Amino acid sequence: MEILSCPKCQSDNIVKSGIIKDRQRYLCKSCNYYFTVNKLGKKIDDYYVN
């Protein structure tokens, strides 16, 4: 499992808190901030994008 940190307070005191739009949602227990991580999936290489 990857180690996440809160984007607001940089704490690592994080718990999973459901799924929103096919993304895992997390809750920081230090500052009560909800956030999601970037979806891991296929990405078009910048070489092919005009």
Side-chain angles (χ1 to χ4, degrees):
M1 185 173 141
E2 71 275 3
I3 299 172
L4 298 173
S5 63
C6 175
K8 190 172 182 183
C9 71
Q10 314 307 314
S11 170
D12 60 354
N13 191 11
I14 292 171
V15 293
K16 289 184 177 180
S17 182
I19 295 176
I20 303 294
K21 294 184 182 177
D22 297 328
R23 291 184 181 189
Q24 180 67 56
R25 187 178 191 213
Y26 295 94
L27 167 65
C28 175
K29 296 196 96 172
S30 298
C31 65
N32 290 327
Y33 181 69
Y34 288 95
F35 64 97
T36 58
V37 293
N38 290 336
K39 181 178 169 187
L40 296 176
K42 294 182 179 177
K43 180 180 181 294
I44 297 174
D45 192 352
D46 291 335
Y47 176 79
Y48 297 105
V49 177
N50 289 335

